[in-house]
Structure formats: structure tokens, C-alpha cells
Amino acid sequence: MGLRAGQGVLRRKPIEMIQETEGGKGEQLTRSLGLWQLTAIGVGGIIGAGIFTLAGTVANEKAGPAVLVSFLIAGIASAAAAFSYAEFAGMIPKAGSAYTYGYAVLGELAGWFIGWDLLLEYTAIVAVVAIGISGYFSFLLGELGVELPAWMLGAPGSGEGHRVDLFAAILCLLIAYLLTLGIKNAARFETIVVGLKVLVVLVVIGVGFFHIKTGNYTPFFPHGLSGAFAGAATVFFAVFGYDAMSTAAEESKDAQRHMPKAILYSLLISMVLYVLACLVLTGMQNYTKIDPESGFSTAFKSVGLSSLADVIAVGAIIGILTVMFTFMLGVTRVWFSMSRDGLLPKWFAKTHPTRHVPTRVTWIVGAASALIAGFLPIREAAELTNIGILLAFVVVCIAVIVLRYKRPELPRSFRCPAVPLVPAIGVVFSIWLITFLEWQTWLRFAGWFVIGLIIYFAYSYRRSELAKANREISDLEDREGRL
């Protein structure tokens, strides 16, 4: 396959070219992550806000005890896409994840669309998680008898006197600082904290099991099946941390072998814990009384285990940090990859001379997520994340089908089973879940998409590395023709 694979917005970056890409001077990443570090990053991205924050929010507001069904629906859709991601991760072990896969198979505009999408979605996820931590922080301070001014405890509209969620905004900046220290040091911190987080979740499940009252499961579907489906569309972002982890493929020691395994391991571990945690939460306390911001802490307090509630709050604060870490890592690597490809200014692709991480984009993302966390309520911020991720899943699942039939000879260290059935399930589930999102979410997404189109046609279309390479080939062919 030659370099020029298609023209205009349909030009594709050949997979062989992607596999050889290492970046120019000042654009290299360091390969230092092993299988279990990658798995820890994936688990760190999946488990966190879904258990400690969104499970309570969705149970209280949308699904009741059927929040369990919401997670299962989201998990099925996520698993179908996970197999597709695993095939690509083993075949194209480069930074960028869905952006890179879309660019290689469906063309430059599709790649741009997904990359631009993920810049907003991942940044918003970081903000959502920060807001979740802030809710537990406020609960913990209240237990200690510390009262902070109302103006700094939440975004406008989230409570009386709330002006800004100051703690959430500061957390975003702290995670950005951690990521600038280098991937090896940052991943070591992530692995340790993920271990602590899983331990806290196991304690929650183990102790909470003995305080379940089966009467709390009735009615199981207080808002009907539609409530469970609407809940699935909201909690979906809590079961796809593996895709953000896959953006670190270029920093893995043996990405072709380790990335597919890490994707599947992290999703399996997380879904088992989600199902058990949801059963405990809705069994301990009636869904109408669950606190949307600090569900487990208030549930344990309601059964007289206030001391354990405090431990859970501390564990949630520490554990949810790993979700912020994973998704901020993801957005910075997508941005880095797009800039290295010339779709965004090369200035963003510059890495630190000794730490070899994209510090410029990391600080920009840190500031942007801090603004979202500080000034948007958690539900609006969460729904802002889901539409783009679901569309990214659609693109990746379609791309697996297309590439399996167009390039069957390509070596694949992992093969998605039952193609095209499994990827098609991922496509159908993702599109179906999108229909449950509110019109305001579509409006925000449309605005972001229009801005992206303007930037692509005004800047990226002519400045991408692929466009430059095609022009050079055309010039060479013209000179040879004249000779």
C-alpha cells in the first residue's frame, strides 16, 4: 500500500506508516509500562465515579434499584467495543486510540472528528470525577465538624449559595502536575492507589452485604425499563476507562501483546465489582434516600456505621483520583498525537526534554477541566461526556469490520471474536444509548462539532503531515512527467 491512500478528507494514514511513526525531535514518548501497570490504569479509569458517585445519582434520580440493570446494559455495549479496541491496540500500538484507528481506516475527517470529540469528552470526564470527589470531601468535613463557606462548595445551581466547586478545580490542577512528572513515576503512583481503591470497594461490598434489606429492592423498576435505559446512558462513561488507557500504547514496553490483555482484564475486574457494589448500595438504603453525591457514605451512616462511612469517604477521595489520572492521560495523548500528525499546531506535540511527556497540553487540559469542574453541576457535566464516547465506540467498531475485510493479511496479536456480529452489537448499543441523552447534550455537542469543522477546514486540512506528504508526491510526479 502506498503512502497516498485516498485524497481530500478521505485520505487515510497507512497502518504501516503509523507503525513506523516515532515523532521528530522533542516529540518522543518513553516505553516504560508493563501489563499490570496498564491494567491498573484501565481499572483506575473504570472504577471510581461509577461506584462512588454515579451509582447513587442514577439510583436516586433515574433507575432506583434497577441501577444494576443500567450498569449491565452499559457493560454489554462496552464489552462489544472493548473487543474491537483490543484488536486495534494489538495492531496499532501508538498513542491516540480511537483517533488513530479512525484515521487509519475511515480517513482523515473521521479521525479528526473522533480526536476533536475526545478532547472535549475526556476533559469533561476529568471534571465530573473531580466533582464526585468534592462531594465526598464535603461529607467528610461535615463529619469532622468543619463548615466551609457555601460559595466554594459547588457549581452555580447545585445548592444554595454555591458559586464554584473550588476543591474540584484544585484537584484537576494537581493531577495535571502529577502527569508532568513523567509516565513512569505517575504510573507507579496510579498502581498503588488503584490497589487501595479496590481494597476499599471490597470492604464496602463485604461489610455492606450483611446490612442488606431485601425490601429496599421493591419496586425494582420504580421508573420502568425506560428509567434503567436512561440510567445506562448516564453511567456508560463509568465503564469505558480502557479506551483512555489504550491511548498510552506508545508508552507500553510490549504494546502488541500487553494492550489487548490489559483492556479485557480491566473491564472484567471492574464489571464484577460494579454489579456487587450496586446490589449492596440499593439493598442497604431505599433509593429515594440515597445521597446523589456521596451514596455509600450516607448509606453506611444510615445503618449506624458512621466510622466506616468516614473510611469510605477517604477511600473514595483517594480512589477516584485514579479516574482523573487515566482520562487526563488519555486526552493529553490524543492531543499529542493529533498535533504530531499536523492536525493541530506542532507546538502542542513538544515533549519535556528529560521527562518525555507533553507538558504543554497537560497544563492546558488541567486548566480547562478545572473550569468545567468549578462551574458545571455533575449531571450536566456527566451527560456532556457520553455522546462523544459513544460515537467513538461506533467508529472503532465499524473500523474493525472494514479493516478485517479490506486488510485481512495484516498481523493481529488479538482478533475480535465473531466479526462482524460483536462489533455490530457495539454499534447498535452505542447508537441506542445515545438516543436517551437529553437535547441539551446534543446542542452542546453540535456546537463543539461545528467549531471542530471550522478548525479542520481552515487549518488542519492543508497542514496535516499526510497532506504535506501527498503534495510532495504530487510535485515529484509532476517533475517526472515533465522529464
Side-chain angles (χ1 to χ4, degrees):
M1 174 177 272
L3 176 63
R4 180 161 26 190
Q7 294 293 322
V9 299
L10 297 179
R11 57 195 175 210
R12 291 174 285 109
K13 192 171 185 180
I15 291 176
E16 294 83 357
M17 179 180 176
I18 296 174
Q19 291 171 338
E20 295 170 0
T21 299
E22 290 294 341
K25 184 178 180 181
E27 297 175 359
Q28 293 90 4
L29 300 174
T30 301
R31 293 189 179 276
S32 59
L33 302 177
L35 172 60
W36 295 112
Q37 285 178 308
L38 289 168
T39 303
I41 293 174
V43 172
I46 300 172
I47 294 180
I51 285 181
F52 293 113
T53 302
L54 279 187
T57 302
V58 173
N60 179 263
E61 298 177 358
K62 295 187 176 183
V67 64
L68 167 63
V69 177
S70 298
F71 273 102
L72 287 175
I73 292 171
I76 292 171
S78 186
F83 284 118
S84 299
Y85 270 90
E87 177 165 324
F88 271 119
M91 187 167 47
I92 309 177
K94 292 294 177 182
S97 187
Y99 154 72
T100 302
Y101 311 152
Y103 200 166
V105 181
L106 302 178
E108 188 172 271
L109 185 60
W112 164 266
F113 170 74
I114 292 303
W116 181 249
D117 217 10
L118 294 180
L119 295 184
L120 174 64
E121 310 303 325
Y122 284 174
T123 302
I125 288 172
V126 173
V128 170
V129 176
I131 297 169
I133 298 177
S134 182
Y136 276 92
F137 181 70
S138 299
F139 171 87
L140 188 60
L141 288 180
E143 290 295 293
L144 297 174
V146 178
E147 291 189 15
L148 297 175
W151 65 266
M152 63 181 289
L153 295 179
S158 63
E160 185 177 354
H162 290 181
R163 295 290 180 269
V164 60
D165 196 327
L166 187 62
F167 183 68
I170 292 173
L171 271 179
C172 293
L173 297 176
L174 287 176
I175 294 297
Y177 169 73
L178 174 65
L179 282 169
T180 63
L181 298 180
I183 191 61
K184 189 173 183 179
N185 292 329
R188 186 181 295 117
F189 166 83
E190 172 86 343
T191 302
I192 293 171
V193 178
V194 165
L196 293 174
K197 174 168 63 175
V198 171
L199 180 61
V200 169
V201 174
L202 291 174
V203 169
V204 167
I205 294 170
V207 176
F209 177 80
F210 294 100
H211 295 274
I212 289 176
K213 296 178 181 178
T214 56
N216 287 328
Y217 293 132
T218 304
F220 193 75
F221 291 96
H223 303 292
L225 282 173
S226 61
F229 295 149
T234 300
V235 303
F236 188 81
F237 102 93
V239 294
F240 59 72
Y242 60 81
D243 72 303
M245 176 266 286
S246 69
T247 65
E250 208 166 319
E251 292 159 283
S252 169
K253 294 177 183 177
D254 190 355
Q256 288 182 313
R257 286 199 310 119
H258 290 165
M259 287 301 301
K261 292 179 181 178
I263 288 172
L264 299 178
Y265 290 169
S266 60
L267 182 59
L268 178 61
I269 293 169
S270 302
M271 285 308 301
V272 170
L273 294 176
Y274 271 136
V275 168
L276 295 176
C278 286
L279 281 172
V280 168
L281 175 63
T282 55
M284 289 181 65
Q285 191 174 31
N286 186 277
Y287 76 94
T288 59
K289 298 179 180 178
I290 293 175
D291 188 322
E293 293 187 346
S294 52
F296 276 102
S297 289
T298 52
F300 275 90
K301 187 177 180 181
S302 71
V303 296
L305 296 175
S306 297
S307 58
L308 185 56
D310 295 342
V311 172
I312 293 171
V314 173
I317 292 170
I318 295 173
I320 299 179
L321 287 173
T322 64
V323 183
M324 297 179 66
F325 175 96
T326 298
F327 283 99
M328 193 175 289
L329 171 71
V331 67
T332 57
R333 273 40 177 186
V334 170
W335 197 335
F336 165 82
S337 188
M338 293 178 71
S339 300
R340 186 172 60 184
D341 289 339
L343 295 177
L344 290 171
K346 285 278 189 176
W347 183 86
F348 296 118
K350 296 299 180 184
T351 56
H352 192 278
T354 57
R355 299 170 187 164
H356 302 294
V357 290
T359 51
R360 294 174 177 177
V361 298
T362 301
W363 281 118
I364 294 172
V365 170
S369 57
L371 290 174
I372 296 173
F375 296 101
L376 269 185
I378 188 169
R379 185 180 61 81
E380 293 182 22
E383 292 184 348
L384 182 64
T385 69
N386 288 324
I387 185 170
I389 300 299
L390 287 166
L391 289 174
F393 275 28
V394 170
V395 168
V396 172
C397 290
I398 291 175
V400 162
I401 298 172
V402 171
L403 198 63
R404 186 69 71 87
Y405 288 100
K406 293 185 70 172
R407 300 293 306 279
E409 81 286 357
L410 286 172
R412 293 166 168 86
S413 61
F414 176 87
R415 297 177 70 87
C416 175
V419 174
L421 178 61
V422 169
I425 290 173
V427 172
V428 171
F429 262 94
S430 298
I431 293 176
W432 178 57
L433 287 172
I434 287 174
T435 64
F436 286 92
L437 298 175
E438 297 179 0
W439 67 267
Q440 293 93 335
T441 303
W442 280 94
L443 188 62
R444 295 189 192 101
F445 175 77
W448 183 251
F449 179 60
V450 169
I451 294 171
L453 284 178
I454 293 172
I455 293 175
Y456 175 76
F457 286 108
Y459 179 90
S460 311
Y461 179 75
R462 295 186 178 278
R463 293 176 181 263
S464 73
E465 290 296 306
L466 195 54
K468 293 177 183 177
N470 282 349
R471 284 198 297 271
E472 291 174 359
I473 292 174
S474 296
D475 291 342
L476 180 60
E477 289 174 346
D478 289 344
R479 286 196 295 271
E480 290 176 348
R482 287 194 295 269
L483 292 176

